[in-house]
Amino acid sequence: MKTYTANIKLATNSRVELVNITQRVSEALRGAGIKNGLLLVFTRHTTSALTINEDEHRLKRDLLELLEKLVPSDADYRHNEIDNNADAHLRSSLMQPFLIIPVINGSLQLGTWQSLFFVELDGPRNREVIVTIIGE
Ligand code: ZN
């Protein structure tokens, strides 16, 4: 059993944005020298999330619009009394801070239409995502 960790640094460009990190996570896996196991992606921020979905621009807009419907950015939140980003924290809690993907024969077992996305909810900011791979 072996473990490997890599950090991915991201500079996001918008307040709310989906950033496809599949390529960068795959590069981390190549550097790991692990053929079979599990790959964990983890975001270290309370105003971001991770998700897996299709990289199709209309779907990405639909997802961001769904977040706006579920957690409107202009609603009245208590956290905004100290920090004007309650919507971002709440949206983050509806999603998840991590993804786990099986690794077989050195490759991520993603389906044809599956991409890994970093979900920026309070950008633009500099962000850091950790990739940890456990296996043999
Ligand atoms: Zn805050």
Side-chain angles (χ1 to χ4, degrees):
M1 185 80 86
K2 195 174 155 185
T3 65
Y4 174 88
T5 294
N7 283 27
I8 294 175
K9 290 190 176 3
L10 301 167
T12 60
N13 298 306
S14 308
R15 174 119 209 280
V16 178
E17 179 183 359
L18 290 161
V19 182
N20 188 333
I21 58 170
T22 312
Q23 206 61 45
R24 296 187 67 184
V25 172
S26 297
E27 283 162 22
L29 175 59
R30 274 196 292 280
I34 293 174
K35 293 289 174 207
N36 295 289
L38 293 174
L39 181 146
L40 167 82
V41 191
F42 180 76
T43 174
R44 305 187 62 219
H45 309 283
T46 56
T47 55
S48 71
L50 293 164
T51 193
I52 297 181
N53 219 312
E54 184 176 350
D55 193 349
E56 195 281 312
H57 70 278
R58 285 158 291 221
L59 178 64
K60 291 193 282 185
R61 280 184 53 193
D62 287 337
L63 179 58
L64 298 181
E65 285 174 21
L66 174 65
L67 290 174
E68 180 62 35
K69 278 180 206 152
L70 293 173
V71 186
S73 51
D74 60 357
D76 201 11
Y77 303 106
R78 287 178 188 83
H79 180 70
N80 285 347
E81 292 168 14
I82 58 150
D83 191 13
N84 199 31
N85 64 356
D87 61 329
H89 291 281
L90 295 170
R91 291 170 183 183
S92 171
S93 276
L94 292 180
M95 302 180 79
Q96 54 198 4
F98 64 88
L99 303 170
I100 301 170
I101 304 118
V103 173
I104 300 175
N105 289 328
S107 70
L108 287 175
Q109 296 299 294
L110 294 171
T112 307
W113 304 107
Q114 287 184 311
S115 289
L116 313 182
F117 287 100
F118 177 84
V119 187
E120 176 60 79
L121 299 168
D122 191 27
R125 287 175 189 259
N126 292 317
R127 300 296 203 172
E128 193 178 325
V129 170
I130 297 177
V131 177
T132 294
I133 306 156
I134 303 170
E136 303 176 314

